[in-house]
């Protein structure tokens, strides 16, 4: 039986739409309540926190997963990316109060020593390093918009979907840095050893995202 890990939270509904649209059973998933393991038809689904999905796959608990590339890149875990579904689109950005825009002139020197809050510490560091800027990254687990609003940091590095959380906290996008969407990923070992069980699911997702 193929085992597919799916994230809770913001992208849950987009994942369920992909599962359903691909013809895989989704009824029990939609009514899973607090169940974290859902067996439906020929499939088993594992429901996990987004940041735990790469571990579930790399440890072999799940064969496949739907997860954002923000999460996989932050995890640093080696996974095989099979399909960019194009669903659940968001973007990574540096955001802050409008006055912070003057630091983003295009010169690394103006960014030196910037204090940045993020739940994506690894990606934040890598992004600023790619510009040659050394910054101080403060790791928070969520609600990062609070930090600049209270003067704790100069800006945040975060995922933006509708932009409403930024607006509600008086913040603006200072620089859009990367595009994010839901990816179908796999455990590389499972692809080799269990392909006969996974082929139909992978084919179904590919056919769904290609429009039929
Ligand atoms: C993400 C992100 C922002 C918000 C952006 O948080 O960290 O806070 O969503 O979405 P928006 O642009 O539509 O307002 P998430 O909902 O994943 O929750 P968290 O803060 O608990 O991590």
């Amino acid at each position: 039986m193929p085992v597919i890990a799916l994230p809770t939270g913001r992208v849950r509904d987009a994942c369920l739409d992909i599962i359903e649209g691909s013809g895989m059973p989704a009824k029990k998933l939609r009514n899973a309540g607090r169940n974290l393991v859902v067996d439906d038809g020929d499939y088993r689904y594992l429901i996990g926190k987004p940041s735990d999905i790469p571990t579930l796959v790399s440890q072999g608990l799940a064969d496949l997963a739907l997860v954002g590339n923000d999460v996989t890149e932050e995890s640093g875990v080696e996974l095989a990316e099979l399909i960019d579904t194009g669903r659940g689109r968001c973007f990574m950005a540096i955001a802050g109060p409008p006055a912070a825009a003057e630091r983003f002139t295009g010169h690394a020197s103006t960014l030196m020593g910037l204090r940045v809050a993020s739940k994506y510490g690894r990606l934040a560091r890598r992004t600023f390093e790619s510009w040659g800027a050394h910054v101080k990254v403060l790791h928070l687990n969520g609600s990062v918009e609070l930090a600049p609003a209270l003067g704790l940091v100069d800006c945040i590095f975060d995922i933006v979907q509708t932009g409403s959380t930024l607006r509600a906290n008086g913040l603006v996008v200072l620089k859009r840095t990367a595009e994010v969407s839901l990816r179908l990923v796999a455990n590389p070992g499972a692809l080799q050893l269990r392909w006969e069980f996974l082929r139909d699911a992978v084919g179904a997702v590919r056919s769904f995202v290609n429009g039929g």
Side-chain angles (χ1 to χ4, degrees):
M1 152 189 288
V3 183
I4 306 180
L6 300 171
T8 55
R10 203 163 31 80
V11 291
R12 175 183 176 273
D13 287 348
C15 288
L16 294 190
D17 290 346
I18 294 168
I19 294 289
E20 203 164 49
S22 304
M24 290 182 256
K27 200 167 173 201
K28 287 188 186 169
L29 261 182
R30 289 205 184 272
N31 300 307
R34 301 294 289 175
N35 282 353
L36 302 176
V37 181
V38 178
D39 288 340
D40 202 344
D42 292 335
Y43 290 83
R44 167 166 290 177
Y45 303 106
L46 303 185
I47 319 293
K49 293 271 287 181
S51 55
D52 291 337
I53 298 294
T55 307
L56 296 180
V57 178
S58 70
Q59 292 299 308
L61 299 179
D63 301 308
L64 302 171
L66 285 168
V67 65
N69 53 305
D70 57 324
V71 174
T72 54
E73 287 169 26
E74 178 64 19
S75 75
V77 171
E78 285 285 319
L79 300 172
E81 184 180 310
L82 305 179
I83 298 170
D84 179 351
T85 70
R87 305 303 202 278
R89 284 193 182 281
C90 306
F91 61 93
M92 302 304 299
I94 296 157
E102 63 193 26
R103 301 282 295 263
F104 289 80
T105 58
H107 294 286
S109 61
T110 61
L111 301 175
M112 288 295 180
L114 207 66
R115 296 166 305 157
V116 186
S118 188
K119 59 185 172 189
Y120 298 92
R122 180 190 175 97
L123 279 178
R125 224 168 264 116
R126 196 201 287 169
T127 300
F128 280 96
E129 275 170 14
S130 73
W131 301 328
H134 184 72
V135 300
K136 291 175 193 152
V137 177
L138 177 74
H139 184 88
L140 295 177
N141 283 315
S143 304
V144 289
E145 296 82 4
L146 201 62
L150 297 179
L152 184 62
V153 295
D154 302 299
C155 61
I156 62 173
F157 177 79
D158 202 12
I159 192 163
V160 182
Q161 189 169 22
T162 62
S164 56
T165 312
L166 291 182
R167 281 192 294 278
N169 290 284
L171 306 176
V172 296
V173 171
L174 300 170
K175 196 167 178 64
R176 185 166 172 149
T177 62
E179 302 307 305
V180 172
S181 56
L182 284 166
R183 311 293 167 95
L184 182 71
V185 300
N187 177 307
L191 279 185
Q192 286 193 342
L193 297 172
R194 288 169 51 75
W195 179 243
E196 61 182 295
F197 301 108
L198 307 180
R199 184 177 24 215
D200 288 353
V202 174
V205 174
R206 182 164 284 125
S207 158
F208 171 65
V209 303
N210 289 340

